[in-house]
Structure formats: structure tokens, C-alpha cells
Amino acid sequence: MAGTGPISRRDTLQGIGALGTAAMLGSVGGESARASEETPSGVATNARVHPEIARRVFETPLIDTHEHLIEERERLAGTSHPRVQADDWSLLLSHYLNSDLLVAGMPKDAYDRFFSPKTDPSDKWRLIEPYWPAVKNTGYGQAVRIAMRQLYDVQDLSAATVKKVQAGYEQTRRAGFYRRILCEMGRIESCQVNCLGAPFGESEMPTLLMQDLSIVGMFAGPSFDGFGKPTGIEVRSLADWHRVIDWWFAKYAKYAVAVKSQNAYSRDIDYEQVPAEKAEAIFKKRLANEPLTAEERKSLEDHLFWQAVRKATEHKLPVKLHTGYYAGQNGMPLGRLLHNPGSITDLCRRAPETRFVFMHICYPHYEELIAAAKHYANAYVDMCWSWIINPVAGKDFLKKYLVTAPANKILTFGGDYIPVEPVLGHAIIARQGIALALTELVEEGWLTLSDAMELVDPIMHNKARQIFNLPEKTRLLEDVTWT
């Protein structure tokens, strides 16, 4: 069954035709500005992309290394889930593209009505129509447009197509649609989910929606309610909180594929190794709900961060860290991001036995991230989200990375979505970018065609299986019973 083991090339080819044809044309609207040719597998490819490379990239399964997907059961429950604002086609625009709409000038009242379940789906087009031309060609916009084309057979969103889009949404959102979208259409072998509602998501599809163990609440705050209460441990000292951290690893480490922190949204990732003796007094103030200075708060976070990282390393779990660009709008202190690459090298130097996975290519500072990955054996790079932040930068990053740093440390796709539908569009953008990057490296003489073809399997799935120990995790999860 899809999602429970490796997907073969023969299986992939059976579903490639419609998916690849639209994706590899020269524009998101499905019209090529240049002559195209058809590969033996039926993929119509832009003349710029080498047909053999295109065929190989589109027939190769992806390991999706980062998502925030809620469970299919929760999606089917509709607006009873807090992350489903309206159970209609507007949901596809509710993650990431919603920020582009606000930045393009969409008034907040129109925005609220657009995503409201009280607004008739057929009336929603007129609310975004003035701003759609400004956002439809961004990576966020293209991912949604491609998904609508593939899922609903709608070439573009408009007043004439909005009712067809809504009908397609309703027809698609039925039991089994996660596997259909991810496995059958997206050719995604498995996803790695950072659950936003709990430290670890006990998925009903554990071999498809594999899970990270969140560590951010173990050290940021820390979160006494979210992480302390479920353990039943009475926390009166720093040592007790260390036991809380141990509890989470004892319960979930064998099932988790990695640990994850997005703490970079609130500070730099410059974690210093603070001894317990210094952190103890600060922790007692935190327990007493006394105010902490910025320096005290950082010292406590730093100490607990390394406590969680040591446990992850003991359990052979990679440590995923957000770097670079922030989701949302009107709130990113770009100056802070400048320091991420330097902090990355400090982390790698301080913990040489820990495998750090630096996410989102540290956009826009990706040249520095390539330098870190080239220099430090324990620095891995994940291109998750980057293809829709800036598709051209994603392609350029991959080109530069492959001729600079070892190819066994690059992960090339993670959709990073809450709704499942745009993952399909994002995956197609990523495949197009991978194929174009490899083609340009061949055209420019940096790689032979044979070199490029040999890279496809490692960067799209093989190395992800190794880095996250996916064969063993899959065997454990096939028989898991959550308690």
C-alpha cells in the first residue's frame, strides 16, 4: 500500500502522465513559451529541461521531510478543527498565500470575510479578485494554482471557474484523499509531520504521516502545561524538569524520525552551553512565576536546549532547526536572520556528534548555509518550504550546493503545509526546480549527464531514508498501538 514502503519506478510511471505534463511545461498556466517534446514516459517537457533528467525526476519518489498536516479524520470533520477556518476552497489559500494577500494590500475586513465559513464559497472570488494578479505568480500562488489544476481540472482561478473549484474541493475531500493526493498524485513515499497541536502526533496513518518530536516547549518557556502536565511529574526543581524531558524521549523517541524546534522565530539560535548550577536559580524564579531578565531567560533556554539535544543525540535522532525566513507578514526582524549562519557553525562545533538539519535553506542567506554544510560534517540542509518562498532561489541554491558540498547531506523537499492540497503543487514546483537545476549544471559543463542522473535518487529519497533511519522507523510504526 502507498505510504507503507518504497514506491517503485514502475508504480510511479503509472501515475506520471497527467502530473508531469502540466508541471514541466514552461508556465504555470500550462502553456509553453518554447517548443516542448514528449519523453518516452509521456512527460511533455520544456525545451530547457533535458528530457532524460525530467523523466527521471518525475518518476522518482520523494521523501517529504517537513509538513504540519493535521490528520485526515480532522480534515473530514471540517470546521470543528481549530485550523480549518472554512471548509471550502479558500482553505487552500489559508496557509502562506494568505500572507501574500495581506502584503499585497487586501484589507483586513475583506480578508476575514474571505476566510469566514459564513461567506458563501461562490462569493469569495470577488473578495480576492483585486489582489489575485499580484499574488498568483509567487511561489505560494503557483503551488495553489497547480494544485487546483491537478485536482479540480481548473486552469486558473477566476469568476468563471470558482464554482468548479468549489465542486472539485467537495469531491476531492473524501475519505482516502490524503493517500490519493500525496502518494498517487504527488508520488510522495512518506511525510514527516511537525504536529502543531501536541509535542508528538499519534497519527492514524503512522507510516505515511511520520512524526517529529517537538522540543521547543522543553526549553522555550519552558511549557509547564504543554510538556509538564502530561507526564504527571511534579516539577519542583531543574532536575525534575530534566525528568520531564526524559519522559518525552522515553515515550516517543523510538517512533520519532527527528526532533524539531522553531525557536528561531523568537530569537537567534545562538545557544550556549550553560551549566546546571547557573540555570538552577533561574529555573526556580521561573517556577515561582517571577519576572526574568532577557539574559536570565536566554541562559535558561540555552541550558534546556542542550539538555534536549543531548537526549536526541543519545536516541540517534537528528535535530531539525528553523532557520531564515519567517512565515506570516509584517513581523520579521531581518537583522536577526543575518546571525543564523554564524550560529549554525557554533552549534555544529559545540556538538560534533549531533546531526543538525537546518531547514528552509536559511533564506535569504543560503550562500552562508552552503559554506556551513561544506565545512561541518554534522550540518545537513533541508530545502523544505524554500521552493515556494522563492522558486528561482531554490533552483539556484540546489545548483550551487551540488557543486560545493557533499550530496549526501541535502534534503530536497518538504511541503510545510497544514492543508494537504497545496503539497501537491509544491511537490511539482520542487520537481521542476530539481530537473532544471540538474539540466543547467549539465548544460554549463559542471556535470555530465551521467553525473546528473546519478544524483536524482540520493537527493530525492535515498539519503533521507538513511538520515532519518526510515526503514527501521517504518517497521516499528507498522504495528504501533498508541496508548
Side-chain angles (χ1 to χ4, degrees):
M1 181 179 291
T4 60
I7 301 171
S8 71
R9 272 219 176 79
R10 188 177 70 82
D11 291 338
T12 306
L13 281 167
Q14 292 176 355
I16 192 175
L19 177 68
T21 299
M24 292 307 296
L25 291 172
S27 72
V28 73
E31 296 178 357
S32 178
R34 304 181 59 180
S36 63
E37 59 184 41
E38 194 166 284
T39 66
S41 60
V43 180
T45 177
N46 185 285
R48 285 204 60 200
V49 181
H50 194 288
E52 290 185 52
I53 292 175
R55 177 175 55 193
R56 176 68 68 86
V57 168
F58 268 82
E59 70 184 32
T60 297
L62 279 166
I63 300 291
D64 180 340
T65 53
H66 185 51
E67 296 291 352
H68 295 293
L69 298 171
I70 62 177
E71 289 290 301
E72 181 181 285
R73 170 182 51 81
E74 296 171 331
R75 273 294 305 276
L76 293 175
T79 54
S80 63
H81 192 279
R83 297 193 181 275
V84 179
Q85 294 164 280
D87 191 16
D88 59 45
W89 66 270
S90 67
L91 184 65
L92 275 68
L93 286 70
S94 67
H95 198 186
Y96 300 130
L97 187 49
N98 60 330
S99 296
D100 279 353
L101 287 168
L102 288 170
V103 172
M106 187 176 189
K108 189 63 166 58
D109 64 332
Y111 175 95
D112 290 340
R113 281 184 286 135
F114 177 74
F115 289 109
S116 172
K118 297 179 181 180
T119 304
D120 189 285
S122 61
D123 294 333
K124 291 193 171 187
W125 165 252
R126 63 181 177 80
L127 292 169
I128 66 163
E129 183 177 12
Y131 315 101
W132 184 243
V135 303
K136 68 177 187 178
N137 294 317
T138 68
Y140 297 164
Q142 291 197 36
V144 169
R145 294 170 72 195
I146 293 170
M148 288 182 173
R149 188 169 65 243
Q150 295 296 321
L151 293 170
Y152 313 146
D153 192 28
V154 171
Q155 288 302 306
D156 206 358
L157 184 61
S158 69
T161 62
V162 66
K163 289 185 178 179
K164 185 176 181 180
V165 168
Q166 177 59 21
Y169 176 89
E170 294 171 4
Q171 185 175 8
T172 297
R173 193 194 63 81
R174 297 178 178 178
F177 78 117
Y178 270 41
R179 290 196 183 277
R180 175 175 172 250
I181 291 172
L182 296 171
C183 303
E184 296 173 21
M185 299 185 71
R187 312 315 302 167
I188 292 169
E189 185 175 301
S190 65
C191 300
Q192 298 176 16
V193 178
N194 173 215
C195 179
L196 296 176
F200 183 90
E202 296 183 348
S203 177
E204 295 176 356
M205 297 183 283
T207 59
L208 175 59
L209 304 184
M210 306 176 94
Q211 301 286 316
D212 296 330
L213 173 60
S214 175
I215 62 170
V216 67
M218 296 180 187
F219 67 89
S223 174
F224 293 140
D225 288 340
F227 281 76
K229 283 186 177 179
T231 70
I233 296 171
E234 186 176 3
V235 178
R236 294 183 174 180
S237 68
L238 182 63
D240 290 335
W241 191 254
H242 288 179
R243 289 172 53 217
V244 167
I245 294 173
D246 292 346
W247 185 93
W248 285 101
F249 279 92
K251 186 172 178 65
Y252 290 117
K254 69 178 180 179
Y255 302 117
V257 292
V259 302
K260 162 73 190 307
S261 169
Q262 58 269 49
N263 191 223
Y265 273 97
S266 58
R267 54 165 286 180
D268 186 27
I269 53 176
D270 56 339
Y271 303 103
E272 299 178 22
Q273 292 174 326
V274 176
E277 305 87 75
K278 180 178 179 180
E280 177 70 57
I282 305 171
F283 187 78
K284 287 182 178 178
K285 288 181 67 176
R286 174 69 182 89
L287 271 177
N289 205 26
E290 297 178 14
L292 302 182
T293 66
E295 182 181 358
E296 287 175 327
R297 187 168 56 252
K298 181 180 185 304
S299 292
L300 181 58
E301 285 187 356
D302 289 2
H303 169 79
L304 292 174
F305 169 83
W306 285 112
Q307 188 70 17
V309 167
R310 279 191 290 272
K311 295 302 296 186
T313 306
E314 287 175 17
H315 288 276
K316 297 181 171 57
L317 293 176
V319 176
K320 296 179 175 179
L321 298 179
H322 179 101
T323 67
Y325 194 78
Y326 288 7
Q329 67 285 328
N330 302 324
M332 180 175 62
L334 197 56
R336 181 190 291 159
L337 275 57
L338 286 167
H339 300 290
N340 282 178
S343 298
I344 282 168
T345 59
D346 290 341
L347 292 174
C348 291
R349 186 172 60 255
R350 287 171 176 155
E353 301 304 314
T354 299
R355 287 172 293 160
F356 290 102
V357 178
F358 299 110
M359 309 176 82
H360 320 312
I361 70 172
C362 203
Y363 181 83
H365 304 293
Y366 54 86
E367 291 276 7
E368 293 93 330
L369 184 58
I370 294 173
K374 182 175 181 64
H375 196 83
Y376 287 92
N378 59 336
Y380 296 78
V381 177
D382 196 330
M383 295 188 69
C384 57
W385 192 26
S386 65
W387 294 108
I388 53 171
I389 295 175
N390 184 334
V392 176
K395 183 265 295 181
D396 289 346
F397 170 85
L398 184 58
K399 278 183 67 178
K400 292 176 179 181
Y401 182 95
L402 290 174
V403 293
T404 305
N408 62 343
K409 302 200 302 168
I410 180 76
L411 304 161
T412 53
F413 178 67
D416 207 349
Y417 272 111
I418 294 172
V420 69
E421 292 92 337
V423 176
L424 176 59
H426 194 169
I428 292 174
I429 291 171
R431 289 181 188 274
Q432 183 169 345
I434 293 166
L436 189 55
L438 292 172
T439 294
E440 290 182 6
L441 287 170
V442 172
E443 287 179 345
E444 294 167 7
W446 302 112
L447 299 179
T448 66
L449 178 59
S450 176
D451 292 333
M453 299 288 273
E454 288 174 2
L455 282 168
V456 174
D457 280 347
I459 68 175
M460 292 183 69
H461 60 82
N462 277 348
K463 294 307 173 185
R465 291 189 190 123
Q466 295 174 14
I467 292 166
F468 299 107
N469 195 18
L470 297 186
E472 180 180 340
K473 298 293 181 178
T474 299
R475 286 193 295 271
L476 285 168
L477 289 166
E478 283 173 345
D479 300 317
V480 69
T481 300
W482 304 117
T483 57

